[in-house]
Amino acid sequence: TNAVDRVDMNIELGDIYGFIGRNGAGKTTLIRILLGLCEQNSGEIELFGSSNIFEGRDKTGCIIENPAFFPKMSAKDNIIAQSKVIGVKLSNEEIEDLLRTVGLESTGRKKAKDFSLGMKQRLALAFALVKDPKILLLDEPTNGLDPAGIHEIRELIIRLAKEKGLTVFISSHILSEIEHIADRVGIINRGRLVYEGKIEKIKSNAWLEIEGDFFSDTKLKEVLEGTGVTDISDKILKFKNMDNEETSKIIRQLVIAGYPIYRVERKKESLEDIFLSMTKED
């Protein structure tokens, strides 16, 4: 069985691309292939116009698994060490700017081992930015963080994408976070890409739901004729999305016809809805 099978995706420059799937679906494997850490058996990967991904590695930064750092060194000294390891020369001004970018400028001589998990993740982002990359590959960057830490990393990723024009490919199992930050999303299931689309498309799929005491008879069908009803049951009526005036008109018609109304709610499809429908277990 292939860990990743026939994944055909397009990541636009400047996008934040959310990549989601169940544990073991193939997310990390695909990221390893993109980084050249795993070799694919077939298929092509094109990065910055070249099918040789090693030519684009200098333009790529990543966080994959737990990044290694020197626990007894400060954030600044860790960045200096990291830059030497990968052969990048940074001026003191560039290092200070990098610390400001990830929000670690005030840590001073504090040792990395005493950092919170959120601070360690920001240091990992600093490592990924040392090469001044054009694309960031982030594998579960908020894993294990508390809500405040998740928010900090989320805002930092958005800022990096918008201010520096970075393309960000981020895998995560936290669907609400992906829905908040991504421009486009891909869902992988059992190694195959089963969905790809713009977040705006997901958010635009909305409908009106009316709960009441209904019974299917000729009278109800007459009341609902021409209203755009899409689903009828004894308790719930679903309609295509409509404005307030149309909604008021339908409710008035139902009440006049003697049907009690308990709830009127506008609903929209979420990323979670799509994810669950696309990754159902057989």
Side-chain angles (χ1 to χ4, degrees):
T1 302
N2 293 325
V4 178
D5 188 14
R6 285 177 281 180
V7 173
D8 183 12
M9 61 170 56
N10 295 288
I11 304 169
E12 301 291 335
L13 287 173
D15 270 358
I16 298 178
Y17 189 104
F19 191 49
I20 59 177
R22 296 178 183 272
N23 289 336
K27 300 189 301 297
T28 299
T29 299
L30 181 62
I31 290 178
R32 286 180 171 276
I33 290 172
L34 292 173
L35 290 170
L37 300 175
C38 289
E39 187 176 350
Q40 76 268 27
N41 298 323
S42 62
E44 294 183 359
I45 300 170
E46 188 175 291
L47 188 61
F48 303 110
S50 173
S51 58
N52 182 351
I53 61 172
F54 290 98
E55 291 181 3
R57 289 182 71 183
D58 286 342
K59 300 177 183 178
T60 304
C62 70
I63 297 180
I64 183 168
E65 297 180 344
N66 296 318
F69 56 86
F70 294 98
K72 295 184 179 181
M73 290 168 55
S74 67
K76 182 175 182 178
D77 288 341
N78 263 285
I79 291 173
I80 292 171
Q82 176 69 7
S83 65
K84 288 180 179 178
V85 167
I86 62 177
V88 174
K89 292 184 178 180
L90 294 178
S91 67
N92 186 66
E93 185 178 339
E94 287 172 326
I95 294 170
E96 294 293 342
D97 183 59
L98 189 51
L99 287 167
R100 281 192 294 271
T101 296
V102 298
L104 293 176
E105 71 276 13
S106 61
T107 54
R109 302 307 304 170
K110 186 174 183 177
K111 295 177 181 179
K113 68 181 179 67
D114 297 322
F115 284 4
S116 66
L117 187 55
M119 292 168 69
K120 289 175 181 176
Q121 284 298 87
R122 281 185 271 158
L123 180 57
L125 269 173
F127 284 1
L129 294 171
V130 164
K131 291 188 292 185
D132 192 22
K134 299 300 180 186
I135 183 170
L136 280 178
L137 302 178
L138 309 177
D139 189 17
E140 301 282 3
T142 60
N143 199 21
L145 297 180
D146 61 20
I150 291 173
H151 177 78
E152 287 178 4
I153 296 298
R154 180 181 76 196
E155 294 303 305
L156 178 53
I157 291 170
I158 293 173
R159 183 157 52 84
L160 288 171
K162 304 310 176 189
E163 292 182 4
K164 292 185 174 291
L166 283 172
T167 302
V168 181
F169 182 88
I170 174 172
S171 84
S172 178
H173 65 280
I174 305 177
L175 303 186
S176 60
E177 288 306 305
I178 293 295
E179 197 163 9
H180 272 120
I181 70 174
D183 299 302
R184 299 177 72 231
V185 65
I187 299 175
I188 189 171
N189 188 44
R190 297 180 180 177
R192 294 189 176 186
L193 191 71
V194 294
Y195 178 88
E196 186 177 59
K198 293 184 176 181
I199 288 291
E200 287 81 0
K201 184 178 179 181
I202 296 171
K203 292 180 178 179
S204 66
N205 189 4
W207 65 93
L208 179 74
E209 199 170 277
I210 298 178
E211 181 183 357
D213 191 4
F214 309 111
F215 44 92
S216 297
D217 58 8
T218 306
K219 181 181 176 183
L220 180 61
K221 291 179 180 178
E222 289 177 355
V223 171
L224 296 176
E225 187 176 357
T227 60
V229 66
T230 59
D231 190 33
I232 300 173
S233 71
D234 291 342
K235 297 295 182 183
I236 300 289
L237 301 177
K238 291 183 180 180
F239 300 82
K240 294 178 181 178
N241 201 23
M242 59 186 70
D243 60 28
N244 290 337
E245 187 176 342
E246 291 175 303
T247 301
S248 176
K249 182 180 178 181
I250 289 172
I251 294 171
R252 187 163 56 249
Q253 288 174 338
L254 288 167
V255 171
I256 291 173
Y259 299 103
I261 305 300
Y262 306 138
R263 176 178 61 87
V264 179
E265 185 178 359
R266 296 188 187 279
K267 305 196 81 173
K268 63 180 180 180
E269 189 174 35
S270 67
L271 182 56
E272 182 178 16
D273 295 329
I274 294 175
F275 176 81
L276 292 175
S277 67
M278 293 287 178
T279 61
K280 284 181 180 177
E281 298 290 344
D282 294 334

